[in-house]
């Protein structure tokens, strides 16, 4: 039976779904579409976002705050206590009814629940725990639930919530402790990292209890089982590890290193249910552009989070100066969306392609290029490694070629056992030749006679991707350059 939700709940939904849009873990739908009586499904703009399951399915989540009240005065947050905004709070029963009724109408398949802070972190998380307990036990909701954990919550409460939700995330907020102190004076970096460590240990303990001791390596998530099955990829990974061991290691973020060294394992105390603890893992979020950290600092922190806290994902949120705060950037400029995109690209290179933060950037080169993606930027700066021969290169060497991804690299490994490959063959396998042709050979020959020169390749990569804005940074009109004899 479907119930009609009263105006008070719908007004709260309007306010608290809008206030939740700055929490990054999925994207808002922005669509309001009623069922037509013939097709299956509906869409609602307010509070609906999308996420992806492990098998690749896209699902819709109800994305809301429990309350927009808050005791903190963070400069970047629209809900900070000094702002004059209308404050509303759901009751646990209201969140349950919204979730169940939206699910019955086929609007959603899960819930994303974050919150401001009422009275204290502990008090607020108790209300969220009550909400989850009712959803799972009274309303028997078995859908996906993602909870934003609040630093300062007791371990016992985090433990109980972790058995009721699928994913839990604690926002790092800013990449460095200095940035956090500047923009969020009520928050302390150590208090954020402590619940992250507890959740990590809880996940490990739960998996061990259920006889699953394999903690997936987040840096090579999609390769872990694959290179155990294929000897060629396994050998390639061994060579990659040797390369990283020779590579000059950078120092991780000092705060994270200190917490890592000082942290102690804590076993879960309550009787373990059949359900796994936080089965979908934990994630976190960093605001980009509110403070003056470089891309090098940001990816170094992300790498440390993946390696030392077993993060499922690190999300990056381009800073929007919603409070028109003159002490923060972005007052008269657009959010740094292009920079956010570059960081996501670099994040994928670290998780799936075997790159380290110290390879992508360095103290001398601390930011990504706006013109070419991080993989192309690395390649043109390391031309001594190219060209590579498609018929001989190992798996992780292939992955370092711009235009070659994990799927196309696997297809190349499989196909070259039975045939000699040419450029047409690898194009059909998914290789993007407009980027790859500068860095590879097939049977000892390049696709075209190409100069292995950084400026030359960079110009062509930029032109191939965005010819209309190739000279935008120099404020020049698009012109054509006369080729000399050596360019042909």
């Amino acid at each position: 039976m479907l119930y009609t939700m009263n105006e008070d709940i719908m007004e709260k939904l309007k306010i608290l779904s809008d206030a939740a849009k700055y929490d990054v873990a999925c994207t808002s739908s922005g669509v309001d579409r009623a069922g037509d009586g013939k097709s299956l499904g509906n869409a609602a703009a307010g509070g609906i976002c999308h996420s992806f399951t492990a098998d690749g399915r896209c699902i819709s989540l109800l994305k809301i705050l429990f309350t927009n009240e808050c005791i903190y005065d963070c400069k970047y947050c629209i809900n900070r206590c000094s702002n004059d905004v209308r404050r509303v709070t759901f009751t646990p029963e209201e969140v349950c009814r919204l979730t169940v009724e939206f699910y019955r109408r086929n609007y959603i398949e899960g819930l994303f629940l974050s919150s401001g802070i009422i009275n204290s972190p502990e008090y607020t998380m108790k209300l969220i725990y009550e909400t989850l307990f009712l959803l799972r036990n009274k309303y028997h909701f078995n859908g996906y639930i993602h909870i934003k954990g609040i630093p300062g919550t007791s371990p016992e409460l985090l433990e109980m919530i972790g058995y009721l939700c699928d994913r839990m995330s604690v926002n790092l907020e800013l990449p460095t402790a200095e940035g956090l102190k500047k923009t969020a004076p009520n928050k302390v970096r150590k208090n954020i990292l402590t619940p992250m460590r507890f959740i990590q240990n809880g996940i490990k303990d739960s998996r061990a209890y259920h006889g699953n001791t394999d903690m997936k390596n987040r840096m090579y998530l999609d390769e872990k089982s694959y290179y155990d099955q294929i000897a060629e990829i396994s050998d390639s990974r061994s060579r990659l590890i040797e390369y990283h061991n020779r590579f000059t290691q950078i120092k991780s973020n000092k705060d994270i290193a200190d917490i890592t060294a000082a942290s102690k394992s804590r076993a879960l105390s309550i009787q373990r249910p059949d359900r796994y603890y936080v089965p979908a893992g934990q994630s976190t979020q960093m605001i980009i552009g509110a403070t003056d950290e470089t891309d090098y600092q940001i990816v170094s922190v992300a790498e440390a989070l993946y390696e030392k806290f077993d993060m499922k994902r690190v999300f990056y949120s381009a800073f929007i100066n919603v409070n028109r705060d003159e002490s923060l950037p972005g007052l008269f400029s657009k959010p740094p969306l292009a920079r956010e995109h570059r960081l996501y690209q670099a994040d994928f290179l670290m998780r799936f392609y075997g790159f380290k933060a110290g390879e992508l950037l360095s103290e001398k080169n601390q930011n990504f290029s706006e013109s070419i993606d991080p993989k192309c930027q690395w390649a043109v700066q390391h031309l001594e490694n190219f060209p590579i021969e498609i018929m001989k290169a190992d798996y992780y060497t292939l992955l370092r070629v711009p235009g070659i991804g994990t799927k196309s690299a696997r297809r190349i490994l499989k196909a070259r056992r039975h045939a000699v490959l040419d450029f047409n063959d690898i194009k059909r396998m998914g290789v993007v030749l407009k980027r790859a042709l500068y860095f590879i050979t097939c049977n000892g020959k390049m696709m075209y006679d190409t100069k292995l020169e950084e400026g030359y390749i960079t110009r062509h990569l930029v032109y191939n991707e965005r010819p209309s804005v190739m000279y935008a940074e120099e404020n020049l009109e698009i012109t054509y350059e006369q080729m000399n004899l050596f360019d042909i």
Side-chain angles (χ1 to χ4, degrees):
M1 179 179 180
L2 299 180
Y3 296 92
T4 302
M5 286 171 275
N6 60 47
E7 293 183 3
D8 181 55
I9 294 180
M10 295 308 294
E11 183 64 21
K12 289 182 180 180
L13 175 63
K14 181 179 179 181
I15 295 171
L16 294 176
S17 63
D18 183 70
K21 65 186 178 184
Y22 301 106
D23 267 312
V24 182
C26 39
T27 54
S28 299
S29 69
V31 177
D32 198 355
R33 181 178 62 252
D36 58 6
K38 300 178 182 178
S39 304
L40 179 66
N42 305 272
I48 307 298
C49 67
H50 296 134
S51 188
F52 292 89
T53 62
D55 60 3
R57 291 185 303 112
C58 180
I59 61 173
S60 298
L61 305 178
L62 173 62
K63 184 180 179 184
I64 53 175
L65 295 185
F66 188 87
T67 181
N68 65 346
E69 294 186 33
C70 197
I71 61 175
Y72 293 161
D73 197 29
C74 305
K75 294 182 178 180
Y76 51 79
C77 184
I78 189 66
N79 301 311
R80 65 182 186 179
C81 62
S82 59
N83 271 1
D84 184 18
V85 297
R86 183 180 174 186
R87 309 286 178 171
V88 293
T89 302
F90 281 125
T91 65
E93 280 286 351
E94 288 173 340
V95 174
C96 293
R97 283 190 58 191
L98 276 172
T99 304
V100 171
E101 295 304 321
F102 272 47
Y103 182 80
R104 287 174 175 171
R105 288 169 170 82
N106 201 34
Y107 288 158
I108 63 167
E109 294 180 70
L111 171 67
F112 178 101
L113 184 60
S114 184
S115 184
I117 302 174
I118 316 171
N119 297 335
S120 68
E122 186 77 359
Y123 178 81
T124 306
M125 289 299 281
K126 283 181 179 178
L127 293 175
I128 290 177
Y129 170 74
E130 182 182 348
T131 303
L132 298 191
F133 186 86
L134 291 173
L135 264 177
R136 295 298 195 197
N137 295 282
K138 177 181 177 180
Y139 292 91
H140 305 289
F141 179 74
N142 198 38
Y144 176 86
I145 298 178
H146 182 162
I147 294 297
K148 284 284 185 179
I150 302 175
T153 305
S154 66
E156 292 76 19
L157 193 52
L158 284 176
E159 183 177 329
M160 292 188 293
I161 290 174
Y163 279 116
L164 294 174
C165 68
D166 294 283
R167 175 174 291 182
M168 197 185 310
S169 55
V170 180
N171 285 350
L172 191 66
E173 306 295 7
L174 278 300
T176 62
E178 293 77 14
L180 186 68
K181 184 177 180 180
K182 176 182 176 182
T183 58
N186 306 109
K187 296 181 178 180
V188 180
R189 185 62 164 264
K190 181 177 179 180
N191 293 345
I192 295 174
L193 297 177
T194 298
M196 284 185 184
R197 178 67 68 205
F198 179 82
I199 295 169
Q200 177 196 22
N201 290 337
I203 294 171
K204 287 182 177 179
D205 183 75
S206 176
R207 289 179 177 176
Y209 174 77
H210 288 280
N212 181 7
T213 57
D214 178 27
M215 192 70 178
K216 287 184 178 180
N217 187 335
R218 304 301 179 192
M219 299 298 291
Y220 306 102
L221 189 63
D222 71 333
E223 318 302 339
K224 182 75 174 177
S225 60
Y226 197 80
Y227 59 63
D228 286 340
Q229 301 170 17
I230 301 180
E232 190 168 2
I233 296 182
S234 181
D235 292 340
S236 174
R237 169 147 170 76
S238 297
R239 286 191 288 273
L240 178 71
I241 292 173
E242 290 176 5
Y243 169 78
H244 285 156
N245 289 338
R246 294 195 305 269
F247 189 82
T248 303
Q249 296 296 318
I250 61 170
K251 290 184 178 181
S252 300
N253 177 271
K254 185 176 184 300
D255 294 309
I256 292 181
D258 290 343
I259 294 298
T260 301
S263 65
K264 296 180 180 179
S265 298
R266 176 188 174 89
L268 297 179
S269 57
I270 64 173
Q271 185 177 2
R272 301 169 181 84
D274 293 335
R275 183 181 177 86
Y276 278 82
Y277 181 81
V278 193
Q282 67 168 323
S283 58
T284 192
Q285 174 183 342
M286 287 189 280
I287 299 170
I288 306 304
T291 46
D292 57 1
E293 292 90 2
T294 64
D295 293 344
Y296 178 53
Q297 289 176 294
I298 294 168
V299 295
S300 297
V301 171
E303 181 180 68
L305 290 168
Y306 283 123
E307 292 183 340
K308 299 176 181 179
F309 289 86
D310 297 308
M311 286 289 162
K312 181 80 169 180
R313 282 293 303 272
V314 174
F315 291 96
Y316 310 93
S317 178
F319 174 64
I320 303 173
N321 198 339
V322 291
N323 296 317
R324 313 302 293 172
D325 193 313
E326 294 183 357
S327 66
L328 297 178
L331 194 60
F332 303 104
S333 60
K334 295 180 180 180
L337 296 177
R339 186 185 184 195
E340 176 190 288
H341 180 59
R342 290 286 181 248
L343 289 168
Y344 274 116
Q345 290 176 319
D347 188 272
F348 269 72
L349 292 179
M350 293 192 296
R351 291 195 296 137
F352 300 130
Y353 289 73
F355 282 87
K356 293 287 188 180
E359 295 178 85
L360 296 171
L361 295 171
S362 64
E363 292 289 348
K364 295 181 180 179
N365 179 27
Q366 299 199 22
N367 292 294
F368 291 115
S369 168
E370 295 182 3
S371 302
I372 55 176
D373 65 66
K375 194 176 180 183
C376 289
Q377 182 178 343
W378 176 85
V380 297
Q381 292 173 354
H382 296 81
L383 291 176
E384 68 277 5
N385 297 325
F386 300 103
I388 66 109
E389 171 55 48
I390 287 294
M391 293 299 297
K392 297 179 180 179
D394 65 35
Y395 179 70
Y396 277 99
T397 300
L398 288 173
L399 285 185
R400 289 179 174 244
V401 177
I404 298 181
T406 54
K407 290 184 179 180
S408 54
R410 291 171 185 169
R411 289 167 182 162
I412 290 171
L413 292 182
K414 184 177 180 179
R416 73 186 186 185
R417 297 174 185 170
H418 310 287
V420 177
L421 306 180
D422 59 24
F423 288 99
N424 288 329
D425 294 328
I426 64 174
K427 182 178 181 181
R428 287 193 292 269
M429 293 175 190
V431 175
V432 183
L433 284 179
K434 67 179 181 180
R435 290 196 288 271
L437 67 89
Y438 306 101
F439 308 100
I440 59 175
T441 60
C442 286
N443 304 314
K445 296 181 180 180
M446 300 191 75
M447 190 172 183
Y448 307 111
D449 289 334
T450 302
K451 292 193 303 182
L452 284 179
E453 190 270 318
E454 181 176 344
Y456 173 85
I457 296 176
T458 300
R459 288 194 299 271
H460 281 76
L461 288 171
V462 173
Y463 180 78
N464 288 337
E465 295 296 331
R466 300 184 298 169
S468 61
V469 294
M470 183 174 178
Y471 300 108
E473 293 182 1
E474 290 82 8
N475 295 318
L476 298 175
E477 295 181 2
I478 297 175
T479 60
Y480 296 91
E481 181 182 3
Q482 177 66 44
M483 296 178 67
N484 62 41
L485 178 63
F486 301 100
D487 288 331
I488 299 176

